[in-house]
Amino acid sequence: MDALLSKFLNKRSRSRKDMRSYANSVVPNNQFRLTEYIETGIANIFESIKEYRDFDEDFRQWQLLTPELGVPEAHWGYIAQLTYIENGALAPEPLLRSAANGYYLTAVQYHRFCTSVQKTGSVVNTWWWSTEAAFKLVPMLLAGLKSEADELYHANATAWRTTWVIRSKSFIGDFLVLLYGRYLGVIEPPFAAEIQINMRKTAPFPYTAILDNWHSPDTELVATMLQTLCDHQVEQAVLGDKKCYFEFNGGIYTYLPLTALLLMKLRALRGLANPQFSHPGFGDVSALFEQVSSAFSEYVGLHQITRIEDAADEELNKILARMYSQDFDAHAIFANK
């Protein structure tokens, strides 16, 4: 583990350059897409694909807004991750701005999948569902936005159950969805018994014991659960650039211990004590949880955030105004079960 930990810390330090360059390259290059949609109501990709696809009369341009929402989501997520890496604190503003873009992007994706299934009986003219989408419900819970967290849970659970998901070589996305389901009282088996970890080897679901005992009063047992989750994150972040697909693969969730924080948050919501826990890859996770809880509570109260709409920045609000003019309603979309 020491060798993996050293590689993890080195990789995390080096990644800061790429996170900063994202703001200086990818974000400006995407700006014209945002401006075009806000001003005209036409998604940038529409002109290039309209001759290859038939669009129903109920088609709306916001159904194509993947980069327009995905790039800001990643941008704010990287800012949150940089703050954490460099200061040891998880800032609520960038993480919630990222989560807001991610929430609406998930609504768009969920609508595409549901309408495709309803009209054709299968998934066509869509993109596969990434298992990273499961992480988006964590900031909602940290901010006390349980309704939105529930919506994201049901959308993700539907995607997993109906095999829309692009499976990674990890079960961490499955675990996030199943754990939140357990909190809600939904007990179901893993979405897959085994996954392919390379061309020759499969692995069984490793988190059954955590799902069965996540609400245990035994804090020493919970500490071992947190150790397992953090160890797996370190390992997958290191291996993620070696022709493998892991959720911890250099994206906006790679270096944030959100899986551990979710477990602690759900226990706190149940009134259960959390252990004092530190990890060499993430520092004092218990202190981080207290910092996050306090910072999010203060930020949400100061800005009167009672819905995810309240966390949107100025640019996202402009996009949403155009989407609303085209009959967009995220809450109605997520209500489709």
Side-chain angles (χ1 to χ4, degrees), residues 13 24 30 36 54 71 85 103 151 173 243 248 266 312 321 337:
S13 181
N24 298 324
N30 186 66
E36 183 174 331
D54 294 326
V71 169
I85 292 171
Y103 171 83
E151 289 173 332
K243 299 182 180 180
F248 306 117
L266 293 179
K337 306 254 191 340

Side-chain angles (χ1 to χ4, degrees), residues 146-182:
K146 185 179 180 299
S147 294
E148 285 85 349
D150 288 354
E151 289 173 332
L152 291 174
Y153 160 73
H154 287 294
N156 279 290
T158 300
W160 258 271
R161 293 180 193 129
T162 51
T163 65
W164 296 344
V165 170
I166 303 175
R167 295 215 65 89
S168 75
K169 294 178 170 57
S170 162
F171 280 109
I172 203 66
D174 299 51
F175 171 73
L176 289 164
V177 177
L178 291 167
L179 177 63
Y180 193 63
R182 292 294 180 102

